[in-house]
Amino acid sequence: MELIFLQMMYWILTIVIVLIATYFIVINGMAFGAVPKGKRLKRIKQSKLYRNKQFQNISHTPSIAEGYKMSKVTYDFFLGKKHPLLKPLKEIPSIHTDLKSLDKNTDAFIWLGHSSYYIQTDGVSFLIDPVLSLYGSPFKYFNKAFKGADVFKPQDIPNIDYLVITHDHFDHLDYPTVKSIRDRTKMAIVPLGVGAHLERWGYTEYQLIEEEWETTVELINNIKLTFTPARHFSGRRLKQNDTLWTSYVLETPTKKIFLGGDSGYDSHFKTIGEKYGPFDYAVLENGQYGEAWRYIHTLPEDVIQAAVDINARHILPVHAAKFALALHPWNEPLQKITSLGKEKNLDILTPKIGEVVDLNSRDQQFTVWWD
């Protein structure tokens, strides 16, 4: 009996050791980036946004809203009954615009799916949160892109002036994409701490513009970019909130654009509007939401209020139509935002993935392609 007990303990211990070893091997893989260290960590600790060993939101921001339990939310996400339209039943209509052949003098916005988009304005190119892998996760065969939403690949990206990252979650900072375009990227703009990931992937510190909220940087062609607050969280390794998340105000000689990133609704939208608005365009998160996550992801009605708060003339909703990261039907975000926008007399622009939005046009029309 004692021998059997010892054998059982041996196998249990072996399994535990193997699981722990596997975890650390996985978490130290290239896709998981790097932990801020050295000069970067010193800067982080000196930031007024960093308290109790992590970055903080302006308001108290629980990951799960009152009335919900993490265990129930997790169960529903992985094992609960799914809506029949969680994923599209057929291929999503999209346009594979040749980004490399675009006239550099064209002022355009091109949505690449989810929260990835390409902007050309005033002779300068920006690529925001590019996730052009087939999977929106660090692992293959998990969180696969919808068919039709995957038409853009890393090799489609032209030489760009600025790669812009809002935070380090896998559906916004994609290792294969960011590594692939490194030699075509002049500079990368990231919130404080995120530079550690890019440096591990081969970017030099001289390629990085890495700052915190309320910092304004001067770019080429008399363009300014300001790091502004968002209500979210970060982390792609064991520790959460060791890197900052951000929104941006992009101000050019001809227009002003708000790049929202991921954010729950809060007072910061009103503050940004009063300080930096009005905006010609606002790119706002609209999708992958749920009542349980309303503090870290905007519900459609929150998107509308955020657009009003920042005083945006035209709204470009993103964060939908490529991955199923929430439990709502895949096309619900677009259905709701267009309906709510009409009630408030807001100009909601809804291009297909890959469709060129002329940033100098005031009356461009788009089809209801998601129905």
Side-chain angles (χ1 to χ4, degrees), residues 281-297:
Y281 293 91
V283 188
L284 297 174
E285 172 197 19
N286 177 58
Q288 319 316 316
Y289 52 74
E291 286 288 345
W293 311 325
R294 64 178 180 266
Y295 290 126
I296 52 177
H297 289 291

Side-chain angles (χ1 to χ4, degrees), residues 111 286 317 321 331-339 350 369-370:
W111 183 34
N286 177 58
N331 57 356
E332 180 186 283
L334 286 161
Q335 290 173 338
K336 286 192 171 184
I337 197 71
T338 51
S339 175
T350 54
W369 54 266
W370 54 90

Side-chain angles (χ1 to χ4, degrees), residues 227-281:
F227 293 67
T228 46
R231 191 183 194 186
H232 200 53
F233 67 109
S234 70
R236 59 197 287 130
R237 297 171 65 89
L238 185 62
K239 185 180 177 183
Q240 281 196 347
N241 298 347
D242 61 344
T243 63
L244 187 58
W245 49 96
T246 193
S247 59
Y248 295 99
V249 170
L250 178 63
E251 188 172 2
T252 83
T254 64
K255 55 186 65 70
K256 196 178 290 184
I257 306 173
F258 179 66
L259 315 179
D262 277 6
S263 178
Y265 182 76
D266 201 9
S267 60
H268 66 281
F269 287 112
K270 187 73 171 176
T271 302
I272 291 169
E274 291 171 349
K275 188 171 183 178
Y276 301 104
F279 292 93
D280 298 292
Y281 293 91

Side-chain angles (χ1 to χ4, degrees), residues 32 109-110 169 184 206 210 212 235-236 284 294 338:
F32 288 85
F109 169 97
I110 300 172
H169 286 154
R184 283 169 277 155
Y206 306 105
E210 187 173 358
E212 58 184 314
R236 59 197 287 130
L284 297 174
R294 64 178 180 266
T338 51

